Structure formats: C-alpha cells, structure tokens
Amino acid sequence: MTTQPSASSFSLASPEEVLAYIPHALGFYPRNAVVLLIMQGTGLAATLRVDLPPAGCGEERCLHWAKQLVRLVHRVPKATSVFAAIYTGQTPGEKHGTLPGQELVEQLAPALVRSGIQVRDGWYVGAQRWHSYFCGNGNCCPSEGFELPDLALTETHLRMVVAGSAPEEHIWDGSGVADWNNKRTIREYVEILAREYVGTEKRESMIRDWADLLDGDPVLAERRLRHDESFCASMLVSLKDRAVRDILPYLAGRGKARALEAFTEVSREAEFGSASQDFSAFLLGTSSCIPDWDRIDRLWHFCRDLLGVAQGPEETALLCLLGWVNWAKGKGSSALGLFSTALEKDPDYRLAQLMGRLLESGEMPSWVADPQRAWRLRLGGRLSA
C-alpha cells in the first residue's frame, strides 16, 4: 500500500490520468495485479497493489481473495470509495462481459459495497487499450474499448517526472547495482577491521558513525563513503552485527540520541525501558511517532549504494534494510521483492523470514494510512488531471 502526495492534490478527472499516475504511486509498472486507488471522500489517500490469484482458481478462491482486499482497504481510516484497475496481460474478448479478470471484479465489487466502500469505476488495462468493467453494452462503451494514449505524454506523468519520480519496468529486487572501482581495496579493509570488531564500545562508535553519515550533508556523506575506504569498510563490518543492523532504521527515523539510549537498554539485557520499547514499536510499525523521512530516505540511498561493494552477510543485511524502508513507506510489493532476494542469498536469515511473513499477512505500519505521518512523494506543485 502506498500513500499519496496529499489527499487533495490529485484530481481523478479522467481514466487516462489515473492510469498514468499508478506506476508513479507504485514505483513500477504493474503486471498480473489489481491496483486499488483508495479514496477518503474526494481525496486520494492510498494505492494498494495485490497479485491476482492464479487463473481458473475457482469461485471459492476468488471470494477469499476479494475478502482479503476488502480487509486491506479498511486499513485506511475513513476510506469511502475505490477505483480499481486490473492488469493481466491477456487479450480481451470481443463482447462485453468477457474481459480478463471479469470474474474477480464480480466478486470484489459487491464485497466492497457490502462493507461500505463505493466502487467508483473499474478498468481492464491492456497494452494499447483500456475497458470499463461496468459498461454493459455498446451504448456506453465500444466493445473494443478505448485507445490508451501515450501515458508518457499525459500531464500527470510529466509532472511526476519533473518531481523526480521514475517508475521501474519491474519491481526492483536489489540486483543491478554496479561494483565500485575501489571495491577490492575496501574488501581488504573489511577483512582487517572484522578482526578488530568486538565489544559494546565498538558498537556505539559504529552507531555514531552511521548517525554522522545520516545527519551530514548528503553530498559530502556520499563522497566520504565512496572515497574513505577504511570508513566504508567499517560501515560494512557493522552490518554483520545484528544489534547495529537493527538499530539503523530507528536511528534514521528517530535520531541519534534516542537510538543510543535504546541501544544501551538493549545491551544491558535487563528489563526493557521506555527507549527500547519505543525502538521495538518503531521497527514493528506500531509507534505513534512521525518518522524522520529525510533521514530514512538517506539511509535507503546509502544502503543501495553500498550494494556495489558488499558481500555475504553485509549484502543480505542491506537488502533487509532496504526492504524495511520500502515497507515503512507503504511499498509492500517492493519490500517483499527485496526480502525474497535476501532469502535467496541466505534462506536462514531471520530478519528476512520475519519481515516476509509480516508482509504476506498484509501487515503495514500504522503511519502508512495517516496523512500526518506517512511518507509522501515529493512534488513541486499540485497535480491536476
């Protein structure tokens, strides 16, 4: 589930503009999925993408799938209505009522209405044309559907690109990051520093180094990470330490002072205090705080960059951190892809196992559906369709 720039900054004036917006909301072009644009009154609150059930799965499976979607929609406070778009890659039939996914819509739409959610429209989206599931005859819509314009030329797409959004063709799974030119030298430092890495005092020093990286000027911080090979190696070594790895999202979201306090409490291995309880709630997404999204975004970029020099447990830790950040932003599909890659590299990696199960159950952070606390795409101005 992905939160939007603001509940009132996006106008749903035409299907073409909505369809152009969906890849930007998700961060990738959807395939074999249903996408629900969830409304709060007249404002767009969140976008939900869910894989379609297997073809020919039967009425009972379709009904179960529909009930799951209804439950997820109601996670958005004060949700009133939805627009639905289904992407299957199949070729529509020549008659009304024969669109791919028709049986799913016939299960989903009534289930939503019974739960108090209005279905404002539903579309089948093909490669070149789109169709409405709720047009029953040629007097409403032509049987061949409507031509899908070049979405790259729509006002919505152009504004999103100017604002810095660039949807991927596929969900990014953590692959494709180029090796750094100085990777060999950094790996040599990693081997040396790993032998020296012991004790709570060293852990606290690493946390402070990560805090300096996240709090400093992003350009200077990246330059240091790239060119100070000993420093970069120490950051990689710290990722092998579960306690340091786990504190990094909290450090980014809540700041150095809180992170060090929580780490001190956890290290005592005594009864948890308020700091460690806040730390736990934040990692699980149940905290009532407003995360510091600027620092969290910087953590994501540093972790992605480090994939170009990481190996083994360091790489798996980075994939999990990237997955957690995407989960925190409400990008469940992207997060699941990263956790899946982490498990491919290490099937026994506990954090990836736990987060994968959390995502598969549909759990999302409490702040995702809260307009005052959720991460938002940064736009240079209002969007209008």
Side-chain angles (χ1 to χ4, degrees), residues 49 164 211 228 244 358:
R49 174 208 171 273
D228 186 338
V244 176
L358 195 67

Side-chain angles (χ1 to χ4, degrees), residues 213-227:
L213 202 63
L214 295 171
D215 288 330
D217 180 281
V219 175
L220 297 178
E222 183 180 1
R223 186 178 302 164
R224 184 186 183 193
L225 196 62
R226 282 272 184 168
H227 300 292

Side-chain angles (χ1 to χ4, degrees), residues 195-235:
R195 294 193 290 268
E196 303 172 357
Y197 185 85
V198 292
T200 299
E201 184 177 342
K202 190 64 175 177
R203 288 172 169 173
E204 289 184 0
S205 175
M206 291 294 189
I207 293 171
R208 293 180 187 278
D209 283 344
W210 273 103
D212 291 343
L213 202 63
L214 295 171
D215 288 330
D217 180 281
V219 175
L220 297 178
E222 183 180 1
R223 186 178 302 164
R224 184 186 183 193
L225 196 62
R226 282 272 184 168
H227 300 292
D228 186 338
E229 291 153 344
S230 176
F231 174 74
C232 179
S234 70
M235 297 293 95

Side-chain angles (χ1 to χ4, degrees), residues 82-241:
V82 300
F83 289 88
I86 289 185
Y87 302 76
T88 69
Q90 298 172 283
T91 302
E94 297 181 356
K95 298 180 180 180
H96 289 287
T98 61
L99 292 174
Q102 185 80 40
E103 71 284 359
L104 299 176
V105 174
E106 290 174 354
Q107 293 281 8
L108 178 59
L112 285 165
V113 172
R114 287 194 297 269
S115 74
I117 301 295
Q118 178 189 1
V119 181
R120 295 174 65 170
D121 207 343
W123 310 298
Y124 169 74
V125 186
Q128 297 179 331
R129 309 188 76 83
W130 65 270
H131 306 247
S132 174
Y133 285 105
F134 302 125
C135 286
N137 57 69
N139 294 327
C140 176
C141 302
S143 59
E144 68 274 16
F146 298 95
E147 184 177 358
L148 194 64
D150 186 347
L151 299 182
L153 298 179
T154 61
E155 180 184 352
T156 292
H157 175 80
L158 294 173
R159 290 204 179 200
M160 296 299 290
V161 169
V162 170
S165 176
E168 302 281 350
E169 281 298 321
H170 303 279
I171 298 176
W172 182 59
D173 62 359
S175 63
V177 179
D179 285 351
W180 296 12
N181 293 332
N182 56 350
K183 179 174 181 177
R184 182 175 178 178
T185 303
I186 292 172
R187 296 311 312 172
E188 291 173 354
Y189 274 112
V190 168
E191 291 184 15
I192 296 170
L193 294 175
R195 294 193 290 268
E196 303 172 357
Y197 185 85
V198 292
T200 299
E201 184 177 342
K202 190 64 175 177
R203 288 172 169 173
E204 289 184 0
S205 175
M206 291 294 189
I207 293 171
R208 293 180 187 278
D209 283 344
W210 273 103
D212 291 343
L213 202 63
L214 295 171
D215 288 330
D217 180 281
V219 175
L220 297 178
E222 183 180 1
R223 186 178 302 164
R224 184 186 183 193
L225 196 62
R226 282 272 184 168
H227 300 292
D228 186 338
E229 291 153 344
S230 176
F231 174 74
C232 179
S234 70
M235 297 293 95
L236 291 171
V237 170
S238 73
L239 294 170
K240 299 179 182 181
D241 188 310

